[in-house]
Amino acid sequence: GETLADLDDPRPLPVITVDEPSLSMTIGINTSPLSGRSGGTKLTARLIKNRLDAELIGNVSIRVIPTERPDAWEVQARGELQLAILVEQMRREGFELTVGKPQVVTREIDGKLHEPVEQVSIDIPEEFVGAVTQLIAPRKGIMREVINFSAGWVRLDYRMPARGLIGFRTDFLTETRG
């Protein structure tokens, strides 16, 4: 966030901005009856909180927000993949966690509720265009562009609410047969 500049021409570079988080997930201690049996060694709320705080130091695009429960935190990130990577890293480090369902982070701007919108580009064989279009329509995706490559492939560009992308990958792989 700081600029090193020439003393004779000290014009600073523009400040780098990080996109706001678009998804959140609750992460807490493992409260299941089988807690402690899966081989995890880090089970306490204090250890989980310390790990999440350590993640904040190197990962500027996430936020950790306390919840009403002392043993759970809301973790906000840029997307489903970023949250999945964090949870998988913690699992490999020996943490046992309870992980909530991803939810979209909404914001109120000028008295109106806004939700994040994503740009989605999909490259698929021509034969699956109809199936993918039908899959995206109920998720409120708006088609922006279709590019038909001569080799039998098509690129579909959409603008889509982030909530429509939750769980999309599984349905997409099913409809396109992988």
Side-chain angles (χ1 to χ4, degrees), residues 32-97:
S32 77
L34 301 176
S35 177
R37 294 188 185 177
S38 68
T41 57
K42 299 173 182 169
L43 309 170
T44 65
R46 180 184 57 81
L47 290 172
I48 293 172
K49 176 66 170 137
N50 289 344
R51 175 60 177 86
L52 291 173
D53 288 343
E55 187 69 22
L56 289 173
I57 293 169
N59 192 343
V60 297
S61 62
I62 71 165
R63 294 184 185 144
V64 177
I65 301 168
T67 63
E68 60 277 351
R69 292 179 35 205
D71 60 352
W73 298 269
E74 179 184 347
V75 179
Q76 296 180 345
R78 274 293 305 139
E80 205 172 0
L81 179 62
Q82 188 177 27
L83 289 167
I85 289 170
L86 174 62
V87 169
E88 180 61 18
Q89 283 177 334
M90 291 177 71
R91 186 194 67 76
R92 288 182 181 188
E93 292 169 6
F95 288 91
E96 279 195 22
L97 309 167

Side-chain angles (χ1 to χ4, degrees), residues 93-111:
E93 292 169 6
F95 288 91
E96 279 195 22
L97 309 167
T98 298
V99 178
K101 184 175 149 184
Q103 298 177 345
V104 174
V105 176
T106 57
R107 288 184 180 66
E108 190 170 319
I109 301 172
D110 296 329

